[in-house]
Amino acid sequence: MKKLFCFLIISFFLNFALAQKVEVQTLLKDDISIRALQIYDGKVWYSGTHSKFGYVSLKDSADKKQMKLSDKKLEFRTLAQDSKNFYTINILSPANFFKIDKKSLKSEIVFKDTAKTAFYDALHFGKDGFGFALSDPNGKEAAISSLRIGGKVWQKCSGNCLPEFIIGEAAFAASNTNIASSKEQMWFATGGLSSRIFRQNIKSCKWEVFETPFIQGTSSQGIYSIDFFDKNFGIAVGGDYTKQAENINNIATTNDGGKTWQIQASGKNGGYKTCVKFRPKSKGKDIIAVGDQNIEFSQDYGKTWKTISEEKGLFVCEWIDENTLVFAGKNRIVKMKMSF
């Protein structure tokens, strides 16, 4: 009994000490669901439900602005940026591609996908200004559009530039992070009946598709988010959104650019996750992951995980610097300071 008491006391103080290393501040409260973030000019920019787009300052939460991009009640689950503009696409058809000028905040629709199956899960811009938008597939064909620098012309991939999906395979519009890129390559992840990694050589437009050992087989299972530290080392997280406590085969890493994947921490993590990000200046060692039920952190390249917050209803995250993050989700945006 004495040993048990000592163990409980030690555990309490260890958990207390860990809790003291995380400080959470609410930046925004609103009637909105947010699944996409961008950081620019000292502000957190977001898009979400009810056609809402806006920002809140990282230094002063009273400095904020919100606008509606449409009189219709559109839902945005995407947000990306190049040097001059933000871009967002509403889910469902017709899918309107909005461009918002960073200086004037004037918006315009620059492309419209009227396909009945249009449902854009993610929108991503590489550092070179190359943009990529991913929609759910039409049968076996993936509806994919690409954008070059400037944002004036959206062009739908076709022929050899169109990867083939398996019936029942799709992407998840969970946090706008199932796409990642390097200078030479772009990756996106799928789930459902099959959970795979698609890799494109940006210059040649050639596609490769790789199987994964990730949980898969039903419409709610698979990879929800990926991130790559460099062209070789990457991580994928996800699970089953209908069984969020389950934690088998829901985290995996790759060391060869997505060709092969190794399951990590199966049965030893906090369950379903919708967003994963490498910590800046950690050389790929430190990783944050968030899901609807908690926030977890790894300090050994994704091999083991610790729950650092029981915050619920958060879906997406982004690093501000190596010690500061922002999270967003149901009705709020929060900032987290870490001292470890």
Side-chain angles (χ1 to χ4, degrees), residues 70-291:
S70 172
D71 293 332
K72 299 178 181 179
K73 291 185 177 180
L74 303 180
E75 180 177 344
F76 300 114
R77 296 192 183 186
T78 59
L79 185 64
Q81 63 174 311
D82 62 16
S83 60
K84 295 181 180 180
N85 304 289
F86 292 105
Y87 301 84
T88 187
I89 311 167
N90 61 279
I91 62 171
L92 301 179
S93 181
N96 301 289
F97 287 49
F98 289 86
K99 182 179 75 171
I100 305 103
D101 185 275
K102 286 183 175 179
K103 291 184 178 180
S104 67
L105 296 187
K106 290 183 178 180
S107 66
E108 62 176 314
I109 296 173
V110 293
F111 181 78
K112 184 175 291 190
D113 189 341
T114 58
K116 292 181 179 180
T117 54
F119 191 106
Y120 280 83
D121 303 287
L123 173 62
H124 172 81
F125 277 79
K127 292 182 180 179
D128 59 355
F130 179 84
F132 189 87
L134 174 68
S135 171
D136 280 348
N138 178 11
K140 284 190 175 182
E141 292 185 347
I144 296 175
S145 298
S146 60
L147 170 68
R148 296 288 177 173
I149 296 172
K152 294 180 180 179
V153 179
W154 284 88
Q155 182 179 357
K156 219 167 193 179
C157 290
S158 59
N160 294 331
C161 199
L162 194 66
E164 186 175 275
F165 277 38
I166 295 170
I167 295 295
E169 179 182 22
F172 292 112
S175 63
N176 196 48
T177 56
N178 56 13
I179 299 180
S181 68
S182 66
K183 289 183 179 180
E184 300 87 12
Q185 298 173 139
M186 189 281 301
W187 302 264
F188 73 80
T190 62
L193 298 189
S194 182
S195 188
R196 302 187 293 172
I197 295 294
F198 290 68
R199 186 176 73 180
Q200 182 194 50
N201 181 299
I202 294 175
K203 290 184 178 179
S204 69
C205 205
K206 180 182 177 181
W207 286 96
E208 297 175 279
V209 186
F210 307 112
E211 303 291 334
T212 76
F214 225 83
I215 182 174
Q216 55 194 282
T218 72
S219 61
S220 58
Q221 296 176 338
I223 298 171
Y224 281 72
S225 176
I226 59 173
D227 196 18
F228 275 78
F229 171 70
D230 55 28
K231 65 180 182 179
N232 294 313
F233 184 49
I235 186 165
V237 302
D240 187 334
Y241 76 82
T242 67
K243 300 175 183 177
Q244 297 193 13
E246 293 192 0
N247 59 1
I248 304 299
N249 297 345
N250 66 318
I251 300 174
T253 56
T254 179
N255 291 292
D256 55 13
K259 291 182 180 180
T260 61
W261 292 82
Q262 297 77 47
I263 293 293
Q264 306 290 354
S266 185
K268 298 179 180 179
N269 66 81
Y272 168 76
K273 293 291 178 289
T274 54
C275 187
V276 65
K277 293 286 183 178
F278 283 104
R279 187 181 197 174
K281 300 183 180 180
S282 71
K283 297 182 179 181
K285 183 179 179 182
D286 294 356
I287 312 168
I288 199 83
V290 62

